[in-house]
Amino acid sequence: MTPALKRLLFWAPFALVLAVTLAWLFRPAAVAVDLVTVDRGPLAVSISDEGETRVRDVYSVSAPVPGRMRRVELEVGDEVVADRTVVARIEPSDPSFLDVRSAAEARAGVDAAAAARVHAEAQVRRAQAELEFANAEFARIRELARSHTVSANDLDAAQRRARTAEAALAEARAERKVRESEYQVARARLVTPATARQRTADCDCVTVYSPVSGTVLRIVTESEGVVPSGAPLVEVGNPELLEIVVDLLSADAVRVVPGQRVVIEAWGGDQPLAGKVRRIEPFGFTKVSALGIEEQRVNVRIDIEDPRERWQRLGHGYRVEPRIVLWEADDVLRVPLSALFRQGDRWAVFVERDGRAELRQVDIGQENGLEAEVRSGLEPGERVVLHPGDRVAPGARLTERGS
């Protein structure tokens, strides 16, 4: 054996140990990751937004006539009975002030009406005198006719004059009533607001009754004042017929159909309430979000299905958070969305196998923002990497955080 070969054999083990040591020292470190086990269980897909409770049928009681409304004596929350509970009383409004010219014309009208009334009174006295004379004349001629002193024609003429005088007196009295009415009309034009207020206690008021039985929800106009015809006064409704209205984005509203199950949360109770979608309104409206973005919204109406004893403290206009269940299943294979990432046009995950990362493509079905339904690519019990970073690659060594 040559000396060179002897030296090579002597140093070979040391070189091998050195190479292995260097390879071990410079090998890639295991990547610390969070792992989660893929399992089967229930999965529900839903949409949620802030909603508001409303009485299903709200009746707005308005003023049937213009006038001065007396102060509403009801308070919010009072019970009302249909066609029996008085909601408001409306009396005639005060006349307006007259300007100088109108006041002068009104006073002149009063003077003219007073003069006409005096003239009518004189005409009544004249007709009464004519009637008395005609009756006396008729009586004398009738006595003469009994002794055949005057002819029958004279008797008929005297009777005709008496009846004519009687009719003239009735005409004069009617004319006096007309002039008296004209005088009162002319005086009414001079009535001032102060004079009118002195007579309000004696006026006939229009009484407004509640159209339905229920509760006073809101008093629109409470204090005494002049109201026009049709002005809203009070809103009443039955709080037992409560519904929830939530305005969803139009893109979400098209996924909602009547009859879908609803979970009503954040209403103030310990447990959520059960509900059901009753109607999706056919028209949308524009609403500006808190960020100043215009959004198209659609109102969705929801019925509460739990007994009223559970939610009787809810009222009109309360805030709730309904969650509409679009799809649900009791036994599906689930994977967290945080474990998924895109690889080309498909979804993929890193599966932990024997301490190393294995790239696996999967087919995803329904997802709810936290978890997704796995249709193929994974098996129950396999563990996948959550939030895989750029250090996780196929074949990379993995170590679970906290282990």
Side-chain angles (χ1 to χ4, degrees):
M1 180 178 297
T2 63
L5 182 59
K6 290 181 179 181
R7 287 193 300 269
L8 179 63
L9 293 176
F10 176 79
W11 290 107
F14 294 101
L16 180 61
V17 172
L18 179 61
V20 172
T21 302
L22 292 175
W24 184 83
L25 291 175
F26 289 99
R27 68 174 180 172
V31 181
V33 294
D34 294 320
L35 299 175
V36 66
T37 302
V38 179
D39 62 353
R40 303 189 69 89
L43 182 66
V45 179
S46 61
I47 54 177
S48 178
D49 209 327
E50 289 188 3
E52 183 179 279
T53 59
R54 295 183 187 176
V55 172
R56 185 177 301 178
D57 298 316
V58 177
Y59 293 83
S60 179
V61 183
S62 58
V65 294
R68 177 181 291 274
M69 185 195 72
R70 294 183 177 178
R71 183 177 178 85
V72 176
E73 298 178 357
L74 295 174
E75 295 183 359
V76 175
D78 287 350
E79 300 291 331
V80 294
V81 180
D83 300 325
R84 292 180 57 186
T85 304
V86 177
V87 174
R89 290 183 174 88
I90 301 176
E91 63 185 26
S93 58
D94 297 336
S96 59
F97 286 103
L98 298 176
D99 54 54
V100 177
R101 176 182 296 176
S102 299
E105 292 176 351
R107 284 192 294 270
V110 171
D111 295 340
R117 186 180 63 169
V118 173
H119 179 265
E121 183 66 30
Q123 292 294 327
V124 169
R125 290 196 298 270
R126 176 181 176 182
Q128 191 169 7
E130 293 289 345
L131 177 61
E132 292 175 355
F133 176 78
N135 287 336
E137 181 184 23
F138 175 63
R140 288 194 301 271
I141 293 178
R142 185 173 52 187
E143 291 296 330
L144 294 174
R146 290 175 181 173
S147 60
H148 303 285
T149 305
V150 297
S151 64
N153 186 41
D154 293 337
L155 179 62
D156 292 340
Q159 186 178 13
R160 178 180 61 81
R161 288 192 294 271
R163 291 178 177 177
T164 301
E166 184 177 359
L169 177 61
E171 181 181 358
R173 287 175 176 172
E175 183 69 18
R176 182 178 61 181
K177 290 183 178 180
V178 171
R179 300 307 176 188
E180 179 66 27
S181 299
E182 291 177 350
Y183 176 72
Q184 297 299 331
V185 170
R187 288 191 58 189
R189 294 192 181 98
L190 288 176
V191 174
T192 64
T195 306
R197 292 301 298 161
Q198 295 175 0
R199 297 199 302 268
T200 50
D202 302 329
C203 73
D204 294 330
C205 295
V206 175
T207 304
V208 183
Y209 295 95
S210 173
V212 293
S213 298
T215 303
V216 177
L217 303 177
R218 187 165 71 102
I219 299 178
V220 182
T221 306
E222 181 179 10
S223 300
E224 178 178 344
V226 178
V227 295
S229 178
L233 306 177
V234 176
E235 291 182 357
V236 297
N238 188 353
E240 296 183 1
L241 302 177
L242 204 64
E243 66 177 3
I244 296 174
V245 179
V246 54
D247 55 335
L248 299 178
L249 291 171
S250 58
D252 292 333
V254 297
R255 304 166 60 192
V256 180
V257 295
Q260 286 178 331
R261 188 170 69 90
V262 180
V263 180
I264 304 167
E265 302 171 328
W267 64 277
D270 298 332
Q271 298 294 329
L273 299 175
K276 182 174 66 175
V277 175
R278 177 167 58 90
R279 175 177 300 175
I280 300 94
E281 293 186 353
F283 64 92
F285 57 92
T286 302
K287 182 178 180 180
V288 180
S289 67
L291 299 177
I293 302 173
E294 290 187 354
E295 301 173 337
Q296 287 302 117
R297 294 273 178 168
V298 177
N299 281 335
V300 176
R301 299 183 178 272
I302 300 169
D303 289 334
I304 303 175
E305 294 195 315
D306 280 346
R308 174 169 167 75
E309 290 73 17
R310 288 198 57 197
W311 52 269
Q312 61 181 350
R313 298 185 66 86
L314 279 178
H316 182 74
Y318 285 35
R319 174 189 172 275
V320 294
E321 290 184 6
R323 181 164 52 87
I324 303 174
V325 180
L326 304 178
W327 177 90
E328 59 183 339
D330 294 331
D331 185 21
V332 297
L333 188 61
R334 305 172 300 179
V335 63
L337 281 180
S338 58
L340 297 169
F341 59 91
R342 298 295 291 183
Q343 186 183 40
D345 58 350
R346 298 192 63 184
W347 290 104
V349 296
F350 280 112
V351 180
E352 185 270 337
R353 180 181 292 276
D354 299 330
R356 293 189 177 273
E358 177 184 332
L359 181 65
R360 188 86 57 83
Q361 291 186 339
V362 294
D363 291 330
I364 299 301
Q366 299 288 340
E367 57 91 8
N368 62 4
L370 296 176
E371 296 177 316
E373 174 194 13
V374 180
R375 294 178 176 174
S376 64
L378 290 175
E379 296 296 332
E382 291 184 315
R383 299 202 302 170
V384 296
V385 179
L386 292 179
H387 307 287
D390 54 0
R391 296 181 59 193
V392 180
R397 291 191 307 113
L398 304 176
T399 178
E400 188 173 5
R401 287 191 178 98
S403 61

